[in-house]
Amino acid sequence: MQQRWFLEVSFMGGAYHGWARQPNAPTVQQCLEEALALLLRQEVETLGAGRTDAGVHARSLWVHMDLPDLSMGPKDLVHKLNSILPQDIAVHRAKMVPQDWHARFSAVYRRYTYRMLARKDPFWQAMAWRVYPFPQIEPMEKAAQLLLQHRDFGSFCRSHHDAGTTLCEIREVAWEQKDHVLEFHIEADRFLRNMVRALVGTLVQIGQGKYPPEHLQQVLEAKDRRAAGPSAPAHGLCLEKVGYPEGWLD
Amino acid sequence: MQQRWFLEVSFMGGAYHGWARQPNAPTVQQCLEEALALLLRQEVETLGAGRTDAGVHARSLWVHMDLPDLSMGPKDLVHKLNSILPQDIAVHRAKMVPQDWHARFSAVYRRYTYRMLARKDPFWQAMAWRVYPFPQIEPMEKAAQLLLQHRDFGSFCRSHHDAGTTLCEIREVAWEQKDHVLEFHIEADRFLRNMVRALVGTLVQIGQGKYPPEHLQQVLEAKDRRAAGPSAPAHGLCLEKVGYPEGWLD
C-alpha cells in the first residue's frame, strides 16, 4: 500500500538546469530523487508543481510522491533528506496527504518574484538582476496594471510551446522597493514557459523609457513572442509560493 | 599632489582569505588594488578599517588611499571599479576627504552581525550558521548583557595575538529573530582577532544548555582563550558598519 506525500522543496537554482529531470544536465529533481533513493533504498518518482527554467530559484515548490509505509516520521524524513541534499537544496516540510492530492493539478495559483538591483550588491548578485540603466518604477507600475485586464499571454510564451493554450488569469501584480532592491511580484493560476522573464524584460524596456506604458497593450494584442522584449535573466526569478486549496497545508 | 580618498567596499567573503593581503592566498584587498591599478595605470596602496578573517563578509568596510588628481569624478570611479571587480566584491561610494582622515584610526566603532539558522535554508547558507540543536535565545540574551559590564576580552582572543591590549568597550549587543534567522548584533570601539566568533561560540553553548548564563562571567574573568567555547564558523559573520565621527560620511 503506497501512501502519498507532499514535500516542500527550496533551492538556489544557479547550479541546476531547473527543477525537471533532463538526460544530460544536473537538475533539482534528480538530486532530490537520488537523496530519496539513498535514504529509502528504493527508486522514488517525484512530481513537482511546475517546471522552472535553468538558473531560476524556488523558495517553496511542492512536490508529491508515493511511498510505502515509512519507518520514520515526517520530521525525521525532512532532517535526513537535508543532511543528504547539497547546501543549495533544502526540504522544509513533509506531509502525508490524501491519495488524490496532486502537486501540479491541485495547485490553485503560483506566485513568482522577480528581483532587480539598482546597484551592484555582492549579497544579492546570485538572486537579482543588476539592471543598467535602472528603470523608472512608475511607468512599469502603470503598464503592469494592464496585465490584470488580459487573459491571453501568447506574446510572452516561447514560440514552440507545448502549453496547449496561452490563457492565464493573473490574480495580482505588485511592486516593492526595499532600498536598492526592486521586487516585482506576480500571482496567476498558471504561467507559460518563460512568461515572467519575458514580461519583466518588456516592463523594463518601458521603465527605461524605450516605450510608453501603453506599449504593453499592443504587445499583448499581438499574441506573438517577437512583439515583446527580451527575457530578463533567470537568476532574478524566484518561485515564491504554490497555492493549494485553503486548509490543505496549514 | 596626492589626494586622500575613502572607498566603501562590500564583499561576500566565501572565496577570500579575508580583507588583508597575504602572500599566497586571494584576498579582497588584493582584488581591489589590482582593479585600481588596472583602472588608474599605477600602483595604489589601500588601508582598510580593520582585518577580517578568511570567509567573513563585509556589508560596509571603509578603506582609504592616496591618489593623484583623477580625470574622473567619484561616481565614475565607483562605476568603473565595479565593472572590473568580481561579482562578490562591490564599491558603493567614493569620497575625497581631508588628508588626515584615516580609515582605521579615525574609526569610532565597528558593528558586526552574526547570523544563525534554525533550519537549513539555501538562500542563507552562505551567510548564516546552521546551528543544531538550535540554541534558546533567552539564556543567550541574559549572558550577552554581561558583556556590557566588562572591558577585558582576553578570553576571546587568539592566544598569540599582537593586539597589545585586550581591552574593548562594547557599546551595544542585540538579538533579532526574523523567522528562522537569528541575528546577534554587536558594536564596540574595537574588536580583537576572532573575538566575535569566539563570543558567539560561547553564547551558543549557553543557549544549548551546556552552561548557565553566569558561566560567561567566569569565562570573562579567566582571561584565557581556553576558558571560552569554540569559534563559531566564519561564514555567519558580517562586518556591517564602521562608524566615523558624525557628519564625516553623510
Side-chain angles (χ1 to χ4, degrees), chain B residues 68-128:
Chain B
D69 262 353
L70 289 190
S71 55
M72 64 184 104
K75 282 202 174 168
D76 229 25
L77 179 62
V78 167
H79 184 69
K80 286 177 175 160
L81 278 176
N82 279 333
S83 61
I84 298 171
L85 287 164
Q87 288 284 3
D88 49 9
I89 304 177
V91 171
H92 290 328
R93 279 189 284 175
K95 195 179 154 86
M96 264 200 273
V97 301
Q99 213 61 29
D100 62 343
W101 285 22
H102 193 287
R104 183 169 165 210
F105 297 131
S106 305
V108 181
Y109 65 89
R110 280 95 179 155
R111 187 176 179 87
Y112 281 92
T113 296
Y114 195 96
R115 293 183 175 83
M116 284 160 265
L117 284 178
R119 70 173 189 187
K120 190 180 180 187
D121 184 339
F123 297 94
W124 279 101
Q125 49 108 351
M127 286 285 297

Side-chain angles (χ1 to χ4, degrees), chain A residues 161-177:
Chain A
H161 63 86
D162 51 8
T165 152
T166 51
L167 299 180
C168 308
E169 194 183 329
I170 297 187
R171 297 159 47 118
E172 200 192 326
V173 291
W175 297 85
E176 196 175 351
Q177 175 124 32

